[in-house]
Amino acid sequence: MAEALLRRVAPERFEVESAGTEATRVHPLAIEAMREIGIDISGHRSKTLDGFVDQPWDYVITVCDHANERCPLFPGRTQRIHWSFEDPSAAPGSEAERLAVFRRVRDAIAARLRQWLAEAPR
């Protein structure tokens, strides 16, 4: 969700990629939560960090504690940023309750991205 949100709000400022500590799937409730705000991530795929570690990145942003703990070091002048959001895929409850968590996390990430973009150097 963070990748798609950043691509939406600042497509001209960054080359954006996302990856996790392990490849899984793009969660159907993430697809639904993003569809609700007009962003289609149904064609996205889950990727691991392995394919990105040797590339130069200005920023590496982790959005959950698990990823922050397991994120490798990136070479060069990479600035590591961590934002601690709950993992919506681990939310308990009915599908409607879990979708509500995905929406809440989506909106929190979007707000944090807007704040960061206002502060980040151009």
Side-chain angles (χ1 to χ4, degrees):
M1 291 192 298
E3 172 190 356
L5 288 165
L6 185 54
R7 285 179 189 272
R8 165 67 66 89
V9 299
E12 72 291 345
R13 285 181 65 184
F14 301 99
E15 177 182 333
V16 182
E17 294 289 344
S18 66
T21 55
E22 58 188 59
T24 57
R25 64 186 172 120
V26 178
H27 199 288
L29 293 177
I31 294 170
E32 174 64 19
M34 296 301 286
R35 184 195 60 75
E36 292 174 353
I37 61 168
I39 300 175
D40 181 9
I41 62 169
S42 63
H44 289 205
R45 65 180 176 82
S46 176
K47 302 170 291 273
T48 63
L49 291 166
D50 299 342
F52 300 100
V53 171
D54 292 333
Q55 298 178 31
W57 297 99
D58 294 324
Y59 303 96
V60 170
I61 302 172
T62 53
V63 295
C64 73
D65 293 338
H66 177 72
N68 186 48
E69 293 166 5
R70 299 190 59 204
C71 189
L73 293 175
F74 283 74
R77 299 176 350 140
T78 301
Q79 182 179 351
R80 277 282 296 276
I81 300 169
H82 176 62
W83 299 330
S84 184
F85 297 103
E86 68 181 295
D87 179 358
S89 66
S94 68
E95 184 166 321
E97 291 167 327
R98 292 175 25 237
L99 180 56
V101 174
F102 273 88
R103 289 175 179 139
R104 185 175 65 244
V105 172
R106 173 201 67 202
D107 295 345
I109 292 171
R112 186 63 186 96
L113 280 170
R114 284 190 300 273
Q115 177 187 6
W116 178 68
L117 288 169
E119 300 166 353
R122 287 199 173 254

